[in-house]
């Protein structure tokens, strides 16, 4: 606990002037001795200084107001940012989910659908080990027309050599000529240089009914096939082209 002299010095340091007699007595009592030079009789508490009265048992200056700590806005800012991230994430997921369940756009076949194309087109059996890989996709345009495209990547030289090795009459060139003969058919387009055989089929979509017309491989066909019902769930497009063949595509 500070003495009177220390109190007077601290008061003058804080207020920029000596304490008045009244300010001194409000803390130390009217009977407390004090050196006249340390007390200013002209300045009263009305001039802006606080006498800081103390209660019994309080140390001098114990009730001097302290500056309130500044509130930090970091927590509020972090909360706002977290909320914005959450909102953006929810909206983004909603848009993404809507897009992947929209029939329009490009869909890629899964492994089972690719195998089905290989089997149904007899490509797998016909070209055997010369068939390197297959890609199948369906593109649905904004005008509700769709095109299914199957691209078979084939090593035609290998295939022709294997076929010629098992034949007593035809050689490799003969088998390559057979492939070229079918290159301009409506069913399959063959490019020996690229090593591809491409099958395309077209149809229309009826989104309001969730229907597809059966794909037609002959572009000159005037009639559309019977419609098939498709479903889209969890980003998967599914429809059957026959009772036992279901095609599955994902975006």
């Amino acid at each position: 606990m500070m003495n009177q002299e220390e109190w007077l010095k601290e008061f003058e340091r804080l207020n920029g002037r000596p304490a008045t007699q009244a300010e001194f007595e409000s803390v130390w009592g009217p009977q407390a001795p004090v050196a006249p030079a340390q007390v200013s009789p002209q300045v009263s508490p009305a001039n802006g200084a606080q006498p800081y009265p103390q209660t019994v048992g309080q140390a001098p200056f114990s009730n001097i107001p302290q500056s309130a700590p500044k509130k930090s806005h970091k927590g509020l800012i972090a909360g706002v940012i977290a909320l914005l991230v959450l909102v953006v994430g929810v909206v983004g997921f909603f848009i993404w989910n809507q897009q992947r369940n929209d029939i329009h756009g490009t869909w890629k076949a899964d492994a089972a659908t690719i195998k089905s194309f290989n089997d149904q087109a007899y490509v797998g059996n016909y070209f055997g080990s010369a068939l390197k890989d297959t890609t199948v996709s369906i593109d649905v345009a904004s005008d509700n027309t769709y095109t299914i495209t199957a691209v078979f990547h084939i090593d035609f030289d290998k295939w022709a050599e294997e076929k010629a090795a098992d034949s007593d009459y035809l050689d490799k060139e003969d088998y390559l000529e057979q492939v070229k003969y079918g290159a301009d058919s409506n069913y399959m387009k063959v490019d020996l240089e690229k090593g591809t055989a491409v099958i395309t089929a077209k149809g229309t979509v009826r989104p309001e009914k969730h229907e597809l017309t059966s794909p037609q491989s002959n572009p000159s066909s005037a009639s559309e096939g019977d419609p098939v019902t498709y479903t889209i769930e969890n980003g998967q497009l599914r429809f059957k082209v026959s009772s036992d063949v279901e095609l599955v595509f994902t975006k």
Side-chain angles (χ1 to χ4, degrees), residues 139-244:
D139 293 287
V140 183
S142 58
D143 62 355
N144 293 332
T145 59
Y146 75 86
T147 303
I148 294 179
T149 305
V151 181
F152 305 93
H153 298 270
I154 302 166
D155 186 340
F156 289 110
D157 285 336
K158 177 182 179 181
W159 169 79
E161 289 173 357
E162 290 177 348
K163 298 293 287 184
D166 294 333
S167 175
D168 295 329
Y169 306 101
L170 300 177
D171 59 16
K172 174 182 175 180
E173 295 302 321
D174 292 328
Y175 282 103
L176 289 176
E177 283 297 324
Q178 288 185 5
V179 174
K180 291 179 183 179
Y181 177 78
D184 295 327
S185 70
N186 290 325
Y187 177 68
M188 181 183 293
K189 301 297 182 182
V190 177
D191 189 321
L192 292 179
E193 292 184 0
K194 292 182 178 179
T196 59
V198 181
I199 297 176
T200 58
K202 298 179 180 293
T204 58
V205 181
R206 299 167 185 163
E208 69 282 358
K209 295 183 178 181
H210 278 230
E211 288 182 347
L212 295 166
T213 59
S214 293
Q216 300 294 310
S217 59
N218 186 352
S220 63
S221 176
S223 61
E224 291 184 336
D226 295 331
V228 296
T229 301
Y230 70 82
T231 61
I232 300 178
E233 187 175 353
N234 297 325
Q236 285 190 330
L237 168 66
R238 295 173 174 267
F239 60 92
K240 286 188 175 183
V241 292
S242 66
S243 59
D244 57 345

Side-chain angles (χ1 to χ4, degrees), residues 22 29 36 45 65 74 80-81 97 105 108 125 134 148 188 215-216 238:
K74 292 182 179 179
V80 171
I81 292 175
N97 194 54
K108 297 184 182 298
N125 291 333
T134 304
I148 294 179
M188 181 183 293
Q216 300 294 310
R238 295 173 174 267

